[in-house]
């Protein structure tokens, strides 16, 4: 792990942390949390099929293939 020191920046009314080049992003969107000690944690957002409608799309696909039992 590299020792990256950054300073809080301000853009308009918002504050942000610049991301050092040594940090490789794993997603386009992150959830951010702060723990009791003040540590700020960024967690990559993952696609959740239960929240983004993908589960419905997959279910409809399999229904068209007639894979599910009709009594279910």
């Amino acid at each position: 792990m590299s020792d990256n020191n950054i300073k809080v920046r301000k853009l308009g009314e918002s504050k942000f942390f610049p991301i050092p080049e040594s940090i490789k992003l794993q997603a386009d969107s992150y959830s951010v949390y702060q723990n009791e000690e003040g540590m700020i944690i960024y967690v990559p957002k993952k696609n959740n099929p239960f929240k983004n409608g993908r589960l419905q799309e997959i279910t409809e696909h399999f229904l068209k293939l007639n894979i599910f039992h009709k009594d279910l």
Side-chain angles (χ1 to χ4, degrees), residues 55-65 68:
L55 182 62
Q56 180 68 29
E57 181 183 326
I58 293 168
T59 302
E60 289 173 4
H61 172 75
F62 283 109
L63 284 172
K64 287 178 187 174
L65 295 175
F68 292 124

